[in-house]
Amino acid sequence: DGGITQSPKYLFRKEGQNVTLSCEQNLNHDAMYWYRQDPGQGLRLIYYSQIVNDFQKGDIAEGYSVSREKKESFPLTVTSAQKNPTAFYLCASSEQGSYNEQFFGPGTRLTVL
Amino acid sequence: AQKVTQAQTEISVVEKEDVTLDCVYETRDTTYYLFWYKQPPSGELVFLIRRNSFDEQNEISGRYSWNFQKSTSSFNFTITASQVVDSAVYFCALTYFNYGQNFVFGPGTRLSVLP
C-alpha cells in the first residue's frame, strides 16, 4: 500500500532536549511538508521541500530543522529553541506543483514534560 | 494575500440531517485551487476534493456535494443524510498556481453527528 508513515505516534520530551520526528513516503512524491496543529486550530506550515537536498522555511520555522537527503524521507527535528513544542505534527507529500492535493500521514503527538 | 475563513467553529446535527459547512476565501489570483479535507478523530487528514477556479460546476459524490460560487468567493460543502461516521473536523484550503508552497488552510469546522 502506498502512503505516508510517521513515527512515533506519541512522543514525550523533557525540556531542553532535541527530538526528531520521522516521516517516510512511498508515493514517489517530490514535495514534502511539515505542519503543526494546536488544539482547536488549523494547520500551520513549518517547512517544506520541493526536491531532494532543498527545503524552504514555512510560516513558523523558528526552533525547527529539517533535512531531505532522500526523496522518500523528510525528518523534522524539534530543537530546544522551540519555546512551545507541545502540539500535533503532521507530515504530508504531494506531486510537485502547489496546486496538487497533499496526502497526509497519521501524525505525531509531541508532549513536552 | 490569501485567506480562508470557516466561520462555523462547531456544528452539531442529529443523524440523517443535512448539514452545510461554509468556506469563504480571499485571493487576488485568477488561477487558484480549492480543497476540502476531513480530519477524523484518528488525526490523519483525508483529501476529499479539489476544484480549480475555472470550473464552477457543482460536484456530487455520494452523500457529499460541493457548491463553488466565484461571485461570492465561496466553496461550501454539504453532507446529505449525515451519519455518525461523518463526525470530524473539516478543513477548507486554498492554493494558487506557483512554484513553492502556497497552501492556506482555514481554521476548520468541527462537525458532530449525534445518533
Side-chain angles (χ1 to χ4, degrees):
Chain A
D1 283 336
I4 301 175
T5 58
Q6 290 186 243
S7 61
K9 189 170 178 65
Y10 298 96
L11 187 57
F12 297 90
R13 186 194 97 174
K14 292 182 180 179
E15 281 193 27
Q17 287 182 335
N18 291 356
V19 63
T20 298
L21 282 58
S22 169
C23 177
E24 304 276 331
Q25 55 99 359
N26 61 5
L27 299 168
N28 201 33
H29 286 163
D30 286 310
M32 297 188 74
Y33 314 83
W34 274 106
Y35 292 93
R36 170 181 172 140
Q37 185 179 24
D38 293 286
Q41 297 189 30
L43 280 67
R44 292 185 290 169
L45 181 66
I46 304 173
Y47 268 98
Y48 67 97
S49 169
Q50 297 282 2
I51 199 168
V52 174
N53 292 323
D54 184 56
F55 48 83
Q56 306 295 329
K57 292 182 179 180
D59 301 321
I60 55 167
E62 186 175 349
Y64 300 97
S65 66
V66 294
S67 63
R68 186 83 188 278
E69 297 175 2
K70 298 187 294 182
K71 185 176 185 178
E72 58 271 20
S73 179
F74 191 41
L76 173 74
T77 297
V78 184
T79 74
S80 56
Q82 168 50 232
K83 298 282 188 267
N84 184 20
T86 295
F88 187 54
Y89 292 87
L90 285 157
C91 178
S93 72
S94 73
E95 299 196 10
Q96 201 168 99
S98 59
Y99 48 87
N100 287 306
E101 60 267 33
Q102 296 182 11
F103 295 87
F104 285 80
T108 293
R109 191 166 299 279
L110 172 65
T111 303
V112 173
L113 303 173
Chain B
Q2 326 291 320
K3 184 179 179 181
V4 175
T5 301
Q6 295 179 257
Q8 304 150 309
T9 305
E10 295 191 33
I11 301 175
S12 288
V13 299
V14 177
E15 205 169 18
K16 297 185 183 176
E17 286 185 3
D18 298 348
V19 58
T20 295
L21 309 182
D22 297 332
C23 173
V24 174
Y25 62 92
E26 295 176 28
T27 180
R28 295 179 186 170
D29 294 274
T30 56
T31 303
Y32 53 89
Y33 296 79
L34 295 161
F35 301 78
W36 275 96
Y37 284 86
K38 174 182 180 180
Q39 186 179 38
S42 60
E44 181 174 343
L45 268 75
V46 177
F47 166 74
L48 296 177
I49 189 172
R50 179 181 75 172
R51 175 68 72 207
N52 75 57
S53 53
F54 299 108
D55 184 1
E56 286 193 74
Q57 282 192 346
N58 292 333
E59 178 147 346
I60 298 174
S61 176
R63 296 184 297 106
Y64 295 171
S65 63
W66 291 269
N67 181 275
F68 177 29
Q69 291 194 343
K70 288 177 75 171
S71 60
T72 56
S73 297
S74 65
F75 186 43
N76 296 338
F77 173 32
T78 297
I79 303 174
T80 303
S82 60
Q83 300 176 2
V84 173
V85 293
D86 295 326
S87 297
V89 180
Y90 291 86
F91 291 98
C92 181
L94 164 72
T95 188
Y96 56 94
F97 187 83
N98 195 4
Y99 182 81
Q101 165 54 18
N102 308 301
F103 249 76
V104 175
F105 284 88
T109 295
R110 180 176 298 277
L111 173 64
S112 298
V113 181
L114 308 174

